[in-house]
Amino acid sequence: MEPIRIDPKRALDEALRAQQKLAASFKTLREVEDVDYGATDKEAIYREDKVVVYRYKGKGKPTAKAPILICYALVNRPYMVDLQDDRSLVKNLLALGEDVYIIDWGYPDGADRWLTLDDYINGYIRRCVDAVAKHAGVKKINLLGICQGGAFSLCFTALHQDKLQNLITMVTPVDFHTKENMLSHWTRGMDVDLFVDTLGNVPADLMNWCYLTLKPVRLNQQKYVAMLDILDDKVELENFLRMEKWIFDSPDQAGEAFRQFIKDFYQGNKLIKGGLKIGGQDVSLKAITIPVLNIFAEQDHLVPPSASRPLGDYIGTKDYTQLAFKGGHIGIYVSGRAQREVPPAIHEWLVKRTK
């Protein structure tokens, strides 16, 4: 190992720059207010328990023949798809003429402890789909499932595809036993019965701790050290704080649904191996015969491409398209590349298939 060489002049210059940044930060931090999120106006069109379906309001009348309903994961808040004005999947889809709705799952509490996957998939999602179709005045809609919400959307489509025209999945795990999936390796050895029987609902802080320890140095140290470089930039600092707010604004997980998801998906890998039942009904991906667009991120550490890519091998449709995006699990919504590439790809694919 070679000795560490320190250039005294360079070290002094860097120390001076850091001092100047810190001095400027006092002014910036006084100007930064509580960051908000959500770039697009929306209205509630359906409510049930803690679940709300919103319709986003674009600047013009939608030109799409059928609306899109976004089904987000339970583990984070759905406003990631509309985080801020220049980072919004929703805003860009609206600008292309799409009619966009979203399911907000809310924040489960003790009253939701016994909600099952049947309640979420055959219950809430089915009624949300019906509500959107009724509101839009159509018989069938397009469903866009994200991450865990994508897995739910696959199950829903397998059971109720008569209500849908097209299915889009984004960063969605399908094969839960690929070797690159660190979260899966951790979860497969977990005593989930003891876990849920002890905790009831799964605390959001515990879930966040697990996700952050997937990349402990990057997510717990490096990003905060890097924050020093933007302390004198109010806009960049607000962007950073808005993302931090999203990360730590996570809901608790309904205990019973969490137990089933871990057992059947992460441990049993039943979505592709078979044997998955939702509400007593067999779920087979072969039953999905409507067009499917599968979008995944090549640098995704939560849902590796190897977990998403196999979808085409297991579904029954002959109209299957997959799109590999150069980015990570969150970058697929908020990066500049995502704003340019993802919404047009979704829109162009839908235009060719929506009646």
Side-chain angles (χ1 to χ4, degrees), residues 6-76:
I6 298 177
D7 182 334
K9 183 177 183 308
R10 184 176 176 184
L12 180 59
D13 288 344
E14 289 185 359
L16 286 173
R17 280 199 296 273
Q19 188 178 39
Q20 290 168 353
K21 288 272 187 183
L22 284 173
S25 72
F26 291 111
K27 178 177 181 296
T28 307
L29 290 172
R30 284 196 299 270
E31 295 174 347
V32 171
E33 298 179 354
D34 186 20
V35 290
D36 204 355
Y37 49 81
T40 311
D41 289 339
K42 60 182 185 295
E43 60 174 340
I45 64 107
Y46 178 76
R47 294 180 184 273
E48 180 183 356
D49 302 331
K50 297 178 179 67
V51 177
V52 184
V53 176
Y54 291 99
R55 183 196 187 199
Y56 288 101
K57 299 179 179 178
K59 293 181 178 179
K61 188 176 180 180
T63 56
K65 296 177 181 176
I68 301 171
L69 173 62
I70 298 175
C71 177
Y72 205 79
L74 302 177
V75 295
N76 288 112

Side-chain angles (χ1 to χ4, degrees), residues 59-311:
K59 293 181 178 179
K61 188 176 180 180
T63 56
K65 296 177 181 176
I68 301 171
L69 173 62
I70 298 175
C71 177
Y72 205 79
L74 302 177
V75 295
N76 288 112
R77 298 292 291 142
Y79 57 80
M80 173 52 67
V81 297
D82 187 43
L83 191 64
Q84 61 189 63
D85 190 60
D86 59 345
R87 303 180 185 190
S88 172
L89 172 69
V90 168
K91 180 184 173 185
N92 287 310
L93 286 172
L94 291 173
L96 292 166
E98 298 293 342
D99 192 8
V100 185
Y101 296 70
I102 193 168
I103 301 172
D104 184 339
W105 298 111
Y107 296 85
D109 58 23
D112 305 303
R113 161 71 175 82
W114 301 103
L115 285 176
T116 64
L117 294 185
D118 179 33
D119 293 319
Y120 279 104
I121 295 169
N122 289 320
Y124 290 132
I125 294 178
R126 180 177 59 80
R127 291 188 287 273
C128 289
V129 167
D130 289 344
V132 170
K134 182 179 180 181
H135 189 265
V138 298
K139 292 183 178 178
K140 297 183 179 182
I141 69 168
N142 299 314
L143 185 60
L144 194 166
I146 293 176
C147 192
Q148 182 192 37
F152 284 9
S153 297
L154 285 167
C155 295
F156 176 81
T157 306
L159 296 172
H160 305 283
Q161 71 172 352
D162 58 309
K163 297 177 180 292
L164 304 176
Q165 290 206 36
N166 303 290
L167 172 66
I168 301 164
T169 55
M170 293 183 69
V171 290
T172 293
V174 178
D175 183 349
F176 287 75
H177 284 183
T178 56
K179 64 180 181 180
E180 298 86 357
N181 194 335
M182 185 179 294
L183 192 59
S184 171
H185 288 298
W186 290 359
T187 309
R188 285 155 68 182
M190 174 184 185
D191 186 342
V192 69
D193 287 330
L194 177 63
F195 192 79
V196 173
D197 291 344
T198 303
L199 294 175
N201 285 347
V202 180
D205 289 344
L206 181 56
M207 294 290 291
N208 269 331
W209 180 82
C210 291
Y211 292 132
L212 294 175
T213 49
L214 286 171
K215 283 190 171 183
V217 176
R218 172 72 185 88
L219 298 178
N220 292 295
Q221 296 177 1
Q222 286 182 346
K223 71 173 182 179
Y224 295 113
V225 173
M227 187 177 71
L228 181 64
D229 289 331
I230 60 170
L231 281 177
D232 58 346
D233 187 326
K234 180 173 179 288
V235 173
E236 287 300 318
L237 185 57
E238 287 177 342
N239 290 344
F240 178 87
L241 294 174
R242 190 173 290 107
M243 185 64 75
E244 288 292 287
K245 185 174 184 176
W246 176 79
I247 291 172
F248 294 102
D249 181 22
S250 298
D252 294 343
Q253 300 297 294
E256 197 58 33
F258 180 86
R259 185 203 310 268
Q260 292 177 12
F261 192 70
I262 296 300
K263 281 188 172 182
D264 288 347
F265 289 77
Y266 275 101
Q267 295 179 345
N269 205 17
K270 294 181 179 178
L271 193 57
I272 63 169
K273 286 190 173 181
L276 179 62
K277 289 181 178 291
I278 303 293
Q281 298 174 277
D282 292 325
V283 175
S284 170
L285 295 179
K286 288 295 182 187
I288 299 176
T289 56
I290 62 173
V292 175
L293 171 62
N294 182 25
I295 306 172
F296 53 88
E298 293 182 341
Q299 285 76 45
D300 194 333
H301 71 290
L302 288 172
V303 181
S306 59
S308 297
R309 194 179 282 119
L311 177 59

Side-chain angles (χ1 to χ4, degrees), residues 169 290-294 296 308-313 315 317-323 349 353:
T169 55
I290 62 173
V292 175
L293 171 62
N294 182 25
F296 53 88
S308 297
R309 194 179 282 119
L311 177 59
D313 297 331
I315 53 176
T317 183
K318 296 179 181 178
D319 187 351
Y320 173 76
T321 308
Q322 69 177 30
L323 172 64
W349 185 84
R353 293 165 176 81

